[in-house]
Amino acid sequence: MDNVRATKDMGKMLGGEEEKDPDAAKKEEERQEALRQQEEERKAKYAKMEAERENIRQGIRDKYGIKKKEEKEAEAAAAMEQASEGSLTRPKKAVPAGCGDEEEEESIVDTVMKFIPAPLMDMFNKK
């Protein structure tokens, strides 16, 4: 009996026909169904875990007054739309502090000049 099995295996290795299992299609279908079911269970498990995490995150946000990224983006978009309601052009970008105000720039230069030693001040004043 062992020799018969060995010759069948040799036949398969040499490119012969494999034995056809009459229930192979049914077994494969059951295996695919089991895989689908496992995948659904895994997805449900991770969805439940993510929901629990989101509840914890929301509790932390409520405790410390933090907004979600989506909320911040929505508020920023609403502010941009509100600012440009009557305008035909796109809204201007905000100018950062220290950029563009010449009065402020002069006061910075004056502040720096206070800390320059007298011999160097003379060199600047000669020009």
Side-chain angles (χ1 to χ4, degrees), residues 47-115:
K48 180 182 174 185
M49 288 171 52
E50 185 59 30
E52 290 173 1
R53 288 183 187 133
E54 186 57 36
N55 286 337
I56 292 170
R57 289 184 199 119
Q58 189 59 47
I60 292 170
R61 282 190 214 104
D62 293 342
K63 183 177 179 180
Y64 295 105
I66 301 170
K67 294 182 182 178
K68 287 177 87 171
K69 287 184 181 179
E70 295 94 28
E71 291 175 5
K72 287 181 184 177
E73 291 170 359
E75 286 179 2
M80 291 297 279
E81 287 178 20
Q82 187 178 17
S84 64
E85 264 182 21
S87 176
L88 297 176
T89 60
R90 67 178 177 83
K92 293 181 180 179
K93 294 181 179 176
V95 178
C99 296
D101 284 344
E102 291 188 25
E103 295 173 7
E104 194 174 305
E105 287 177 14
E106 289 174 11
S107 66
I108 292 172
V109 171
D110 292 338
T111 305
V112 171
M113 294 299 269
K114 291 178 188 175
F115 294 103

Short mmCIF file of all heavy atoms in Angstrom, two decimals, residues 47-115:
data_model
loop_
_atom_site.label_atom_id
_atom_site.label_comp_id
_atom_site.label_asym_id
_atom_site.label_seq_id
_atom_site.Cartn_x
_atom_site.Cartn_y
_atom_site.Cartn_z
N ALA A 47 -13.50 47.67 14.64
CA ALA A 47 -14.42 48.80 14.64
C ALA A 47 -14.87 49.11 16.06
O ALA A 47 -14.96 50.28 16.46
CB ALA A 47 -15.62 48.49 13.76
N LYS A 48 -15.13 48.07 16.84
CA LYS A 48 -15.53 48.24 18.23
C LYS A 48 -14.39 48.89 19.03
O LYS A 48 -14.62 49.82 19.81
CB LYS A 48 -15.90 46.89 18.84
CG LYS A 48 -16.33 46.96 20.28
CD LYS A 48 -16.65 45.57 20.83
CE LYS A 48 -16.95 45.63 22.31
NZ LYS A 48 -17.13 44.30 22.87
N MET A 49 -13.16 48.40 18.82
CA MET A 49 -12.01 48.96 19.53
C MET A 49 -11.81 50.43 19.16
O MET A 49 -11.54 51.26 20.03
CB MET A 49 -10.73 48.16 19.20
CG MET A 49 -10.70 46.78 19.83
SD MET A 49 -9.35 45.74 19.26
CE MET A 49 -7.92 46.74 19.49
N GLU A 50 -11.97 50.76 17.88
CA GLU A 50 -11.79 52.15 17.44
C GLU A 50 -12.88 53.04 18.03
O GLU A 50 -12.62 54.19 18.40
CB GLU A 50 -11.79 52.22 15.91
CG GLU A 50 -11.49 53.59 15.36
CD GLU A 50 -10.15 54.16 15.78
OE1 GLU A 50 -9.19 53.39 16.00
OE2 GLU A 50 -10.05 55.41 15.88
N ALA A 51 -14.09 52.53 18.13
CA ALA A 51 -15.18 53.31 18.74
C ALA A 51 -14.87 53.60 20.21
O ALA A 51 -15.10 54.72 20.70
CB ALA A 51 -16.50 52.56 18.60
N GLU A 52 -14.35 52.60 20.92
CA GLU A 52 -13.98 52.81 22.32
C GLU A 52 -12.86 53.86 22.43
O GLU A 52 -12.90 54.74 23.29
CB GLU A 52 -13.51 51.50 22.95
CG GLU A 52 -14.61 50.50 23.16
CD GLU A 52 -14.10 49.13 23.62
OE1 GLU A 52 -12.88 48.97 23.81
OE2 GLU A 52 -14.95 48.24 23.80
N ARG A 53 -11.88 53.77 21.54
CA ARG A 53 -10.79 54.75 21.55
C ARG A 53 -11.32 56.16 21.27
O ARG A 53 -10.88 57.13 21.88
CB ARG A 53 -9.74 54.38 20.50
CG ARG A 53 -8.93 53.19 20.86
CD ARG A 53 -7.88 52.94 19.79
NE ARG A 53 -7.19 51.69 20.04
CZ ARG A 53 -6.96 50.77 19.14
NH1 ARG A 53 -7.34 50.95 17.90
NH2 ARG A 53 -6.32 49.67 19.45
N GLU A 54 -12.25 56.27 20.32
CA GLU A 54 -12.80 57.58 19.99
C GLU A 54 -13.56 58.16 21.17
O GLU A 54 -13.49 59.37 21.42
CB GLU A 54 -13.71 57.48 18.76
CG GLU A 54 -14.21 58.81 18.26
CD GLU A 54 -13.11 59.79 17.91
OE1 GLU A 54 -12.05 59.38 17.41
OE2 GLU A 54 -13.31 61.00 18.15
N ASN A 55 -14.26 57.31 21.93
CA ASN A 55 -14.95 57.79 23.13
C ASN A 55 -13.94 58.34 24.14
O ASN A 55 -14.17 59.38 24.75
CB ASN A 55 -15.78 56.67 23.77
CG ASN A 55 -17.02 56.37 22.98
OD1 ASN A 55 -17.51 57.20 22.23
ND2 ASN A 55 -17.54 55.16 23.13
N ILE A 56 -12.84 57.64 24.31
CA ILE A 56 -11.79 58.10 25.24
C ILE A 56 -11.21 59.42 24.73
O ILE A 56 -11.02 60.37 25.50
CB ILE A 56 -10.70 57.03 25.40
CG1 ILE A 56 -11.29 55.82 26.13
CG2 ILE A 56 -9.49 57.58 26.15
CD1 ILE A 56 -10.38 54.60 26.14
N ARG A 57 -10.92 59.49 23.42
CA ARG A 57 -10.37 60.73 22.85
C ARG A 57 -11.33 61.90 23.06
O ARG A 57 -10.92 63.00 23.40
CB ARG A 57 -10.11 60.55 21.35
CG ARG A 57 -8.97 59.65 21.03
CD ARG A 57 -8.76 59.62 19.50
NE ARG A 57 -7.98 58.47 19.13
CZ ARG A 57 -8.38 57.50 18.34
NH1 ARG A 57 -9.57 57.53 17.79
NH2 ARG A 57 -7.59 56.49 18.07
N GLN A 58 -12.62 61.64 22.83
CA GLN A 58 -13.61 62.70 22.98
C GLN A 58 -13.68 63.16 24.43
O GLN A 58 -13.81 64.35 24.70
CB GLN A 58 -14.99 62.23 22.49
CG GLN A 58 -16.01 63.35 22.42
CD GLN A 58 -15.57 64.46 21.48
OE1 GLN A 58 -15.14 64.21 20.37
NE2 GLN A 58 -15.69 65.69 21.93
N GLY A 59 -13.57 62.23 25.38
CA GLY A 59 -13.55 62.61 26.79
C GLY A 59 -12.37 63.51 27.10
O GLY A 59 -12.50 64.51 27.83
N ILE A 60 -11.22 63.19 26.54
CA ILE A 60 -10.02 64.03 26.75
C ILE A 60 -10.22 65.40 26.09
O ILE A 60 -9.90 66.43 26.69
CB ILE A 60 -8.78 63.32 26.18
CG1 ILE A 60 -8.46 62.08 27.02
CG2 ILE A 60 -7.58 64.27 26.16
CD1 ILE A 60 -7.42 61.18 26.42
N ARG A 61 -10.79 65.41 24.87
CA ARG A 61 -11.03 66.69 24.20
C ARG A 61 -11.98 67.56 25.02
O ARG A 61 -11.76 68.76 25.15
CB ARG A 61 -11.64 66.46 22.81
CG ARG A 61 -10.64 66.06 21.79
CD ARG A 61 -11.29 66.08 20.40
NE ARG A 61 -10.71 65.03 19.62
CZ ARG A 61 -11.28 63.87 19.33
NH1 ARG A 61 -12.51 63.62 19.71
NH2 ARG A 61 -10.65 62.97 18.62
N ASP A 62 -13.05 66.95 25.56
CA ASP A 62 -14.00 67.70 26.37
C ASP A 62 -13.35 68.23 27.64
O ASP A 62 -13.57 69.36 28.04
CB ASP A 62 -15.20 66.81 26.73
CG ASP A 62 -16.05 66.45 25.51
OD1 ASP A 62 -15.91 67.13 24.47
OD2 ASP A 62 -16.82 65.48 25.61
N LYS A 63 -12.52 67.40 28.26
CA LYS A 63 -11.88 67.78 29.52
C LYS A 63 -10.95 68.98 29.33
O LYS A 63 -10.91 69.88 30.16
CB LYS A 63 -11.09 66.58 30.06
CG LYS A 63 -10.43 66.83 31.40
CD LYS A 63 -9.74 65.58 31.89
CE LYS A 63 -9.04 65.79 33.22
NZ LYS A 63 -8.37 64.57 33.68
N TYR A 64 -10.18 68.99 28.24
CA TYR A 64 -9.18 70.04 28.04
C TYR A 64 -9.60 71.09 27.01
O TYR A 64 -8.83 71.98 26.69
CB TYR A 64 -7.84 69.41 27.62
CG TYR A 64 -7.26 68.56 28.72
CD1 TYR A 64 -7.30 67.18 28.64
CD2 TYR A 64 -6.68 69.14 29.84
CE1 TYR A 64 -6.78 66.39 29.65
CE2 TYR A 64 -6.16 68.36 30.85
CZ TYR A 64 -6.21 66.99 30.75
OH TYR A 64 -5.70 66.22 31.76
N GLY A 65 -10.81 70.99 26.49
CA GLY A 65 -11.31 71.99 25.55
C GLY A 65 -10.60 71.96 24.20
O GLY A 65 -10.42 73.00 23.57
N ILE A 66 -10.21 70.80 23.75
CA ILE A 66 -9.52 70.65 22.47
C ILE A 66 -10.55 70.32 21.41
O ILE A 66 -11.48 69.56 21.65
CB ILE A 66 -8.47 69.52 22.56
CG1 ILE A 66 -7.46 69.84 23.65
CG2 ILE A 66 -7.79 69.33 21.22
CD1 ILE A 66 -6.53 68.68 23.96
N LYS A 67 -10.37 70.90 20.21
CA LYS A 67 -11.29 70.61 19.11
C LYS A 67 -10.68 69.57 18.19
O LYS A 67 -9.47 69.49 18.05
CB LYS A 67 -11.58 71.88 18.33
CG LYS A 67 -12.34 72.89 19.14
CD LYS A 67 -12.65 74.11 18.31
CE LYS A 67 -13.38 75.13 19.16
NZ LYS A 67 -13.64 76.34 18.39
N LYS A 68 -11.53 68.80 17.52
CA LYS A 68 -11.06 67.83 16.54
C LYS A 68 -10.52 68.56 15.32
O LYS A 68 -10.90 69.69 15.05
CB LYS A 68 -12.21 66.92 16.09
CG LYS A 68 -12.65 65.92 17.12
CD LYS A 68 -13.83 65.12 16.61
CE LYS A 68 -13.36 63.94 15.82
NZ LYS A 68 -14.46 63.02 15.49
N LYS A 69 -9.64 67.90 14.57
CA LYS A 69 -9.08 68.51 13.37
C LYS A 69 -10.17 68.87 12.38
O LYS A 69 -10.14 69.94 11.77
CB LYS A 69 -8.08 67.56 12.70
CG LYS A 69 -6.79 67.44 13.44
CD LYS A 69 -5.82 66.55 12.67
CE LYS A 69 -4.52 66.42 13.42
NZ LYS A 69 -3.57 65.55 12.72
N GLU A 70 -11.15 67.99 12.20
CA GLU A 70 -12.22 68.26 11.26
C GLU A 70 -12.99 69.52 11.67
O GLU A 70 -13.36 70.32 10.83
CB GLU A 70 -13.20 67.08 11.16
CG GLU A 70 -12.60 65.81 10.60
CD GLU A 70 -12.11 64.88 11.68
OE1 GLU A 70 -12.63 64.89 12.79
OE2 GLU A 70 -11.16 64.13 11.38
N GLU A 71 -13.22 69.69 12.98
CA GLU A 71 -13.95 70.87 13.45
C GLU A 71 -13.14 72.13 13.19
O GLU A 71 -13.67 73.15 12.76
CB GLU A 71 -14.25 70.73 14.95
CG GLU A 71 -15.25 69.66 15.28
CD GLU A 71 -15.44 69.48 16.77
OE1 GLU A 71 -14.84 70.24 17.55
OE2 GLU A 71 -16.18 68.56 17.15
N LYS A 72 -11.82 72.08 13.46
CA LYS A 72 -10.97 73.24 13.22
C LYS A 72 -10.98 73.61 11.75
O LYS A 72 -11.08 74.78 11.39
CB LYS A 72 -9.53 72.93 13.66
CG LYS A 72 -9.34 72.88 15.15
CD LYS A 72 -7.89 72.59 15.48
CE LYS A 72 -7.68 72.45 16.95
NZ LYS A 72 -6.29 72.11 17.28
N GLU A 73 -10.84 72.58 10.87
CA GLU A 73 -10.83 72.84 9.44
C GLU A 73 -12.17 73.41 8.97
O GLU A 73 -12.20 74.32 8.15
CB GLU A 73 -10.50 71.56 8.68
CG GLU A 73 -9.08 71.10 8.88
CD GLU A 73 -8.81 69.71 8.33
OE1 GLU A 73 -9.75 69.07 7.80
OE2 GLU A 73 -7.66 69.26 8.43
N ALA A 74 -13.26 72.91 9.50
CA ALA A 74 -14.58 73.40 9.13
C ALA A 74 -14.76 74.85 9.56
O ALA A 74 -15.30 75.67 8.82
CB ALA A 74 -15.67 72.52 9.74
N GLU A 75 -14.29 75.18 10.79
CA GLU A 75 -14.40 76.56 11.27
C GLU A 75 -13.55 77.49 10.42
O GLU A 75 -13.95 78.60 10.09
CB GLU A 75 -13.98 76.64 12.73
CG GLU A 75 -14.99 76.06 13.68
CD GLU A 75 -14.55 76.13 15.14
OE1 GLU A 75 -13.46 76.67 15.41
OE2 GLU A 75 -15.30 75.65 15.99
N ALA A 76 -12.35 77.06 10.05
CA ALA A 76 -11.47 77.89 9.23
C ALA A 76 -12.10 78.11 7.86
O ALA A 76 -12.07 79.23 7.33
CB ALA A 76 -10.10 77.24 9.09
N ALA A 77 -12.66 77.08 7.28
CA ALA A 77 -13.31 77.21 5.97
C ALA A 77 -14.51 78.14 6.07
O ALA A 77 -14.73 78.98 5.18
CB ALA A 77 -13.74 75.84 5.45
N ALA A 78 -15.30 78.03 7.14
CA ALA A 78 -16.46 78.89 7.33
C ALA A 78 -16.02 80.35 7.49
O ALA A 78 -16.64 81.26 6.95
CB ALA A 78 -17.27 78.44 8.53
N ALA A 79 -14.94 80.57 8.21
CA ALA A 79 -14.43 81.93 8.41
C ALA A 79 -13.95 82.52 7.08
O ALA A 79 -14.19 83.70 6.80
CB ALA A 79 -13.29 81.93 9.42
N MET A 80 -13.29 81.71 6.26
CA MET A 80 -12.82 82.19 4.96
C MET A 80 -14.01 82.51 4.06
O MET A 80 -14.00 83.51 3.35
CB MET A 80 -11.92 81.13 4.29
CG MET A 80 -10.60 80.93 4.98
SD MET A 80 -9.57 82.39 4.97
CE MET A 80 -8.90 82.24 3.32
N GLU A 81 -15.05 81.68 4.09
CA GLU A 81 -16.23 81.94 3.26
C GLU A 81 -16.94 83.19 3.73
O GLU A 81 -17.39 84.01 2.94
CB GLU A 81 -17.18 80.74 3.32
CG GLU A 81 -16.70 79.54 2.55
CD GLU A 81 -17.64 78.36 2.67
OE1 GLU A 81 -18.81 78.57 3.02
OE2 GLU A 81 -17.18 77.23 2.41
N GLN A 82 -17.04 83.36 5.04
CA GLN A 82 -17.73 84.51 5.61
C GLN A 82 -16.97 85.79 5.27
O GLN A 82 -17.57 86.80 4.94
CB GLN A 82 -17.86 84.36 7.12
CG GLN A 82 -18.70 85.44 7.77
CD GLN A 82 -18.84 85.21 9.25
OE1 GLN A 82 -18.09 84.45 9.84
NE2 GLN A 82 -19.79 85.88 9.87
N ALA A 83 -15.64 85.74 5.31
CA ALA A 83 -14.84 86.92 5.01
C ALA A 83 -14.94 87.30 3.54
O ALA A 83 -14.84 88.47 3.19
CB ALA A 83 -13.39 86.66 5.39
N SER A 84 -15.15 86.35 2.67
CA SER A 84 -15.17 86.63 1.24
C SER A 84 -16.57 86.67 0.66
O SER A 84 -16.73 86.61 -0.55
CB SER A 84 -14.33 85.59 0.51
OG SER A 84 -14.91 84.31 0.66
N GLU A 85 -17.60 86.79 1.50
CA GLU A 85 -18.97 86.75 0.99
C GLU A 85 -19.27 87.85 -0.02
O GLU A 85 -19.79 87.59 -1.08
CB GLU A 85 -19.97 86.82 2.14
CG GLU A 85 -20.43 85.46 2.56
CD GLU A 85 -21.45 85.51 3.67
OE1 GLU A 85 -22.10 86.55 3.87
OE2 GLU A 85 -21.59 84.50 4.34
N GLY A 86 -18.96 89.09 0.26
CA GLY A 86 -19.29 90.19 -0.64
C GLY A 86 -18.19 90.50 -1.63
O GLY A 86 -18.33 91.38 -2.46
N SER A 87 -17.10 89.78 -1.58
CA SER A 87 -15.94 90.09 -2.39
C SER A 87 -15.93 89.26 -3.68
O SER A 87 -16.35 88.12 -3.70
CB SER A 87 -14.68 89.79 -1.59
OG SER A 87 -13.54 90.00 -2.37
N LEU A 88 -15.41 89.88 -4.74
CA LEU A 88 -15.29 89.17 -6.01
C LEU A 88 -13.93 88.51 -6.15
O LEU A 88 -13.71 87.69 -7.04
CB LEU A 88 -15.50 90.13 -7.18
CG LEU A 88 -16.88 90.77 -7.26
CD1 LEU A 88 -16.93 91.76 -8.39
CD2 LEU A 88 -17.95 89.72 -7.43
N THR A 89 -12.98 88.88 -5.31
CA THR A 89 -11.63 88.31 -5.37
C THR A 89 -11.42 87.38 -4.20
O THR A 89 -12.19 87.36 -3.25
CB THR A 89 -10.57 89.42 -5.32
OG1 THR A 89 -10.71 90.14 -4.10
CG2 THR A 89 -10.72 90.37 -6.50
N ARG A 90 -10.34 86.64 -4.28
CA ARG A 90 -10.05 85.72 -3.18
C ARG A 90 -9.61 86.52 -1.95
O ARG A 90 -9.11 87.64 -2.07
CB ARG A 90 -8.97 84.72 -3.58
CG ARG A 90 -7.62 85.33 -3.82
CD ARG A 90 -6.61 84.22 -4.17
NE ARG A 90 -5.33 84.77 -4.48
CZ ARG A 90 -4.41 85.11 -3.59
NH1 ARG A 90 -4.65 84.95 -2.31
NH2 ARG A 90 -3.26 85.62 -3.97
N PRO A 91 -9.81 85.99 -0.75
CA PRO A 91 -9.43 86.73 0.46
C PRO A 91 -7.92 86.89 0.57
O PRO A 91 -7.16 86.04 0.13
CB PRO A 91 -9.97 85.86 1.59
CG PRO A 91 -10.18 84.52 0.99
CD PRO A 91 -10.41 84.72 -0.47
N LYS A 92 -7.53 88.02 1.15
CA LYS A 92 -6.10 88.27 1.35
C LYS A 92 -5.59 87.41 2.48
O LYS A 92 -6.30 87.10 3.43
CB LYS A 92 -5.86 89.74 1.70
CG LYS A 92 -6.19 90.68 0.57
CD LYS A 92 -5.91 92.09 0.99
CE LYS A 92 -6.23 93.06 -0.13
NZ LYS A 92 -5.97 94.45 0.26
N LYS A 93 -4.33 87.05 2.36
CA LYS A 93 -3.71 86.27 3.43
C LYS A 93 -3.32 87.20 4.55
O LYS A 93 -2.93 88.35 4.33
CB LYS A 93 -2.48 85.54 2.91
CG LYS A 93 -2.80 84.47 1.90
CD LYS A 93 -1.57 83.75 1.43
CE LYS A 93 -1.95 82.67 0.44
NZ LYS A 93 -0.79 82.01 -0.10
N ALA A 94 -3.41 86.72 5.77
CA ALA A 94 -3.04 87.53 6.93
C ALA A 94 -1.54 87.77 6.94
O ALA A 94 -0.75 86.89 6.63
CB ALA A 94 -3.46 86.83 8.21
N VAL A 95 -1.15 88.99 7.30
CA VAL A 95 0.27 89.35 7.37
C VAL A 95 0.76 89.01 8.78
O VAL A 95 0.19 89.46 9.77
CB VAL A 95 0.47 90.85 7.09
CG1 VAL A 95 1.93 91.23 7.22
CG2 VAL A 95 -0.07 91.20 5.71
N PRO A 96 1.80 88.20 8.89
CA PRO A 96 2.32 87.86 10.22
C PRO A 96 2.83 89.09 10.96
O PRO A 96 3.25 90.07 10.34
CB PRO A 96 3.47 86.90 9.93
CG PRO A 96 3.29 86.46 8.52
CD PRO A 96 2.51 87.51 7.84
N ALA A 97 2.82 89.04 12.27
CA ALA A 97 3.30 90.15 13.08
C ALA A 97 4.77 90.41 12.79
O ALA A 97 5.56 89.48 12.68
CB ALA A 97 3.10 89.84 14.56
N GLY A 98 5.13 91.68 12.69
CA GLY A 98 6.52 92.03 12.44
C GLY A 98 6.85 92.14 10.97
O GLY A 98 7.95 92.54 10.60
N CYS A 99 5.89 91.81 10.12
CA CYS A 99 6.12 91.91 8.68
C CYS A 99 5.21 92.99 8.12
O CYS A 99 4.00 92.90 8.22
CB CYS A 99 5.80 90.59 7.98
SG CYS A 99 6.86 89.25 8.47
N GLY A 100 5.80 94.01 7.56
CA GLY A 100 4.99 95.00 6.89
C GLY A 100 4.79 96.28 7.66
O GLY A 100 4.59 97.32 7.07
N ASP A 101 4.79 96.28 8.97
CA ASP A 101 4.64 97.51 9.75
C ASP A 101 5.98 98.21 9.82
O ASP A 101 6.89 97.76 10.49
CB ASP A 101 4.15 97.21 11.17
CG ASP A 101 2.67 96.87 11.20
OD1 ASP A 101 1.99 97.17 10.21
OD2 ASP A 101 2.22 96.34 12.23
N GLU A 102 6.08 99.36 9.13
CA GLU A 102 7.36 100.07 9.12
C GLU A 102 7.64 100.73 10.46
O GLU A 102 8.78 100.84 10.88
CB GLU A 102 7.39 101.07 7.98
CG GLU A 102 7.43 100.37 6.63
CD GLU A 102 7.66 101.35 5.50
OE1 GLU A 102 8.24 102.41 5.75
OE2 GLU A 102 7.26 101.02 4.39
N GLU A 103 6.60 101.18 11.15
CA GLU A 103 6.80 101.79 12.47
C GLU A 103 7.43 100.78 13.42
O GLU A 103 8.34 101.10 14.17
CB GLU A 103 5.46 102.27 13.03
CG GLU A 103 4.83 103.38 12.24
CD GLU A 103 3.44 103.70 12.74
OE1 GLU A 103 3.03 103.15 13.78
OE2 GLU A 103 2.76 104.49 12.08
N GLU A 104 6.95 99.57 13.35
CA GLU A 104 7.46 98.52 14.21
C GLU A 104 8.91 98.20 13.86
O GLU A 104 9.74 97.99 14.72
CB GLU A 104 6.59 97.28 14.07
CG GLU A 104 6.81 96.24 15.14
CD GLU A 104 5.81 95.12 15.02
OE1 GLU A 104 4.60 95.38 15.03
OE2 GLU A 104 6.27 93.98 14.94
N GLU A 105 9.22 98.20 12.56
CA GLU A 105 10.58 97.92 12.13
C GLU A 105 11.54 99.00 12.62
O GLU A 105 12.65 98.72 13.03
CB GLU A 105 10.65 97.82 10.60
CG GLU A 105 10.03 96.55 10.07
CD GLU A 105 10.04 96.50 8.55
OE1 GLU A 105 10.76 97.31 7.93
OE2 GLU A 105 9.32 95.65 8.00
N GLU A 106 11.11 100.25 12.60
CA GLU A 106 11.95 101.34 13.09
C GLU A 106 12.23 101.18 14.58
O GLU A 106 13.34 101.42 15.04
CB GLU A 106 11.29 102.69 12.81
CG GLU A 106 11.28 103.05 11.34
CD GLU A 106 10.50 104.31 11.06
OE1 GLU A 106 10.14 105.03 12.03
OE2 GLU A 106 10.25 104.59 9.88
N SER A 107 11.24 100.80 15.33
CA SER A 107 11.45 100.64 16.76
C SER A 107 12.43 99.49 17.04
O SER A 107 13.21 99.56 17.98
CB SER A 107 10.13 100.42 17.49
OG SER A 107 9.56 99.18 17.09
N ILE A 108 12.43 98.47 16.22
CA ILE A 108 13.37 97.37 16.37
C ILE A 108 14.78 97.86 16.10
O ILE A 108 15.73 97.56 16.83
CB ILE A 108 13.00 96.20 15.43
CG1 ILE A 108 11.69 95.57 15.89
CG2 ILE A 108 14.11 95.17 15.40
CD1 ILE A 108 11.13 94.54 14.94
N VAL A 109 14.94 98.67 15.03
CA VAL A 109 16.26 99.22 14.71
C VAL A 109 16.74 100.09 15.86
O VAL A 109 17.91 100.03 16.26
CB VAL A 109 16.21 100.01 13.38
CG1 VAL A 109 17.50 100.77 13.15
CG2 VAL A 109 15.91 99.08 12.23
N ASP A 110 15.87 100.92 16.40
CA ASP A 110 16.25 101.78 17.54
C ASP A 110 16.67 100.95 18.74
O ASP A 110 17.65 101.27 19.42
CB ASP A 110 15.09 102.70 17.93
CG ASP A 110 14.79 103.73 16.85
OD1 ASP A 110 15.71 104.02 16.05
OD2 ASP A 110 13.65 104.24 16.81
N THR A 111 15.97 99.87 18.99
CA THR A 111 16.30 98.99 20.12
C THR A 111 17.68 98.37 19.92
O THR A 111 18.48 98.32 20.85
CB THR A 111 15.25 97.88 20.26
OG1 THR A 111 13.96 98.45 20.37
CG2 THR A 111 15.53 97.01 21.47
N VAL A 112 17.98 97.94 18.70
CA VAL A 112 19.28 97.33 18.42
C VAL A 112 20.38 98.38 18.55
O VAL A 112 21.47 98.10 19.08
CB VAL A 112 19.28 96.69 17.01
CG1 VAL A 112 20.68 96.25 16.62
CG2 VAL A 112 18.31 95.52 16.97
N MET A 113 20.12 99.57 18.09
CA MET A 113 21.13 100.63 18.13
C MET A 113 21.52 100.98 19.57
O MET A 113 22.65 101.41 19.82
CB MET A 113 20.62 101.88 17.42
CG MET A 113 20.43 101.69 15.92
SD MET A 113 21.94 101.26 15.07
CE MET A 113 22.54 102.85 14.64
N LYS A 114 20.62 100.79 20.50
CA LYS A 114 20.92 101.08 21.91
C LYS A 114 22.02 100.17 22.45
O LYS A 114 22.78 100.56 23.33
CB LYS A 114 19.67 100.91 22.78
CG LYS A 114 18.62 101.94 22.56
CD LYS A 114 17.42 101.65 23.43
CE LYS A 114 16.26 102.56 23.10
NZ LYS A 114 15.07 102.20 23.87
N PHE A 115 22.12 98.97 21.93
CA PHE A 115 23.07 98.01 22.46
C PHE A 115 24.40 97.99 21.71
O PHE A 115 25.29 97.25 22.06
CB PHE A 115 22.45 96.60 22.43
CG PHE A 115 21.26 96.48 23.37
CD1 PHE A 115 19.96 96.50 22.88
CD2 PHE A 115 21.47 96.37 24.73
CE1 PHE A 115 18.90 96.40 23.74
CE2 PHE A 115 20.40 96.26 25.58
CZ PHE A 115 19.10 96.28 25.09
#
